[in-house]
Amino acid sequence: MDQAGRQRIDKWLFFARVLKSRTLAAKFVAGGNVRVNRDKVDQPSFAVKSGDVLTISLERRILVLRILGCGHRRGPAPEAQALYEDLTPPAVPADRMVPGKPAEREPGSGRPTKRDRRKIDRFRFSDPDS
């Protein structure tokens, strides 16, 4: 650990097993894919501490993690999971989507416009209970 309970963000991501290597973690942070307390971070040397909230944009999902402590090594998974609290909101379950056939359009009407697409999404993902 560095100064008073702080650790480089690339080391923390590696120790917490968010990314497979420290080099990958450094490139990931430099690419602007990590926010600390809602502020975008692009320096792998940025120091994080307990209580910071990380928002991590992975390829197909977004993770929200609260740091509980700094790591000393890349240990087993239970040790890595003790470094953070997962605040990621749950994904929308497949049963919430409205089943059925895709929306039909008249032949020759072209592709849906942005407005049409929003209406389709609003219909498909609407809350059936409300």
Side-chain angles (χ1 to χ4, degrees):
M1 281 188 288
D2 297 333
Q3 70 262 0
R6 292 182 174 264
Q7 186 172 39
R8 288 175 56 113
I9 192 165
D10 60 339
K11 283 178 90 170
W12 190 89
L13 290 170
F14 175 60
F15 290 160
R17 293 180 166 263
V18 175
L19 295 163
K20 290 186 177 189
S21 72
R22 187 164 166 201
T23 305
L24 265 175
K27 289 178 184 176
F28 189 75
V29 172
N33 297 312
V34 179
R35 290 179 178 265
V36 177
N37 300 328
R38 296 187 177 174
D39 297 325
K40 190 177 272 192
V41 176
D42 58 359
Q43 294 294 318
S45 62
F46 185 85
V48 293
K49 64 184 182 318
S50 295
D52 284 345
V53 176
L54 303 181
T55 306
I56 304 166
S57 303
L58 293 174
E59 194 170 309
R60 296 179 187 204
R61 60 191 172 129
I62 295 177
L63 294 177
V64 181
L65 307 175
R66 176 180 291 130
I67 298 176
L68 299 178
C70 296
H72 300 288
R73 68 184 184 115
R74 182 179 169 97
E79 185 179 314
Q81 290 167 350
L83 298 178
Y84 62 87
E85 175 187 357
D86 192 357
L87 304 175
T88 307
V92 178
D95 63 343
R96 295 284 305 234
M97 293 179 59
V98 178
K101 61 182 181 181
E104 292 185 18
R105 295 180 52 83
E106 293 188 28
S109 62
R111 295 176 59 173
T113 62
K114 243 184 184 178
R115 183 176 180 202
D116 294 336
R117 183 65 186 172
R118 286 190 198 112
K119 286 181 183 178
I120 292 168
D121 286 344
R122 216 175 295 127
F123 174 75
R124 285 180 60 209
F125 300 110
S126 65
D127 188 8
D129 298 330
S130 59

